[in-house]
Amino acid sequence: QVQLVESGGGLVQAGGSLRLSCAASGRTSSINAMGWYRQAPGKQRELVADITSGGTTNYADSVKGRFTISADNAKNTVHLQMNSLKAEDTAVYYCNARTIWGATPWGRGTQVTVSS
């Protein structure tokens, strides 16, 4: 139905920036929204930010003002620009899409490590 490929991530010092990308393929016309989630060791997976097909964005309180989600509709890609990174942002970040058939399966995610 819809396949997602995550990219970006890595190791950065506190205060630095990273950009994550999520490219969708397949039946992309079925996508209602795409988002980034994260899971830190010992914690539950949480929503970081999402964006609807209409461009409405939503952010976790912990990242407001630091992270920006955007969509390149021509490339079926969603980006998450992460600025002013903190050690507590360290986690595996996952991309997910909400389609007319439901949410896409979770992928492997991409590791983001912020050193303090």
Side-chain angles (χ1 to χ4, degrees):
Q1 311 283 16
V2 173
Q3 295 78 43
L4 304 175
V5 177
E6 302 149 333
S7 61
L11 173 64
V12 65
Q13 289 188 333
S17 299
L18 283 174
R19 188 192 198 205
L20 305 182
S21 296
C22 178
S25 62
R27 303 186 71 172
T28 57
S29 61
S30 69
I31 297 174
N32 294 321
M34 291 181 66
W36 283 96
Y37 296 73
R38 67 185 181 187
Q39 186 167 20
K43 295 188 177 181
Q44 290 189 332
R45 191 171 299 176
E46 62 176 359
L47 174 69
V48 177
D50 61 16
I51 184 167
T52 69
S53 57
T56 300
T57 58
N58 176 51
Y59 296 91
D61 288 341
S62 59
V63 306
K64 284 180 180 177
R66 300 188 298 121
F67 291 11
T68 302
I69 191 168
S70 61
D72 182 341
N73 293 326
K75 296 182 179 179
N76 295 314
T77 299
V78 169
H79 303 287
L80 183 68
Q81 179 66 42
M82 305 185 293
N83 299 328
S84 302
L85 283 161
K86 305 175 181 179
E88 50 263 43
D89 295 318
T90 296
V92 179
Y93 284 70
Y94 301 87
C95 180
N96 193 262
R98 296 196 295 274
T99 76
I100 60 175
W101 300 292
T104 53
W106 295 106
R108 293 185 176 182
T110 184
Q111 177 70 48
V112 171
T113 302
V114 184
S115 62
S116 57

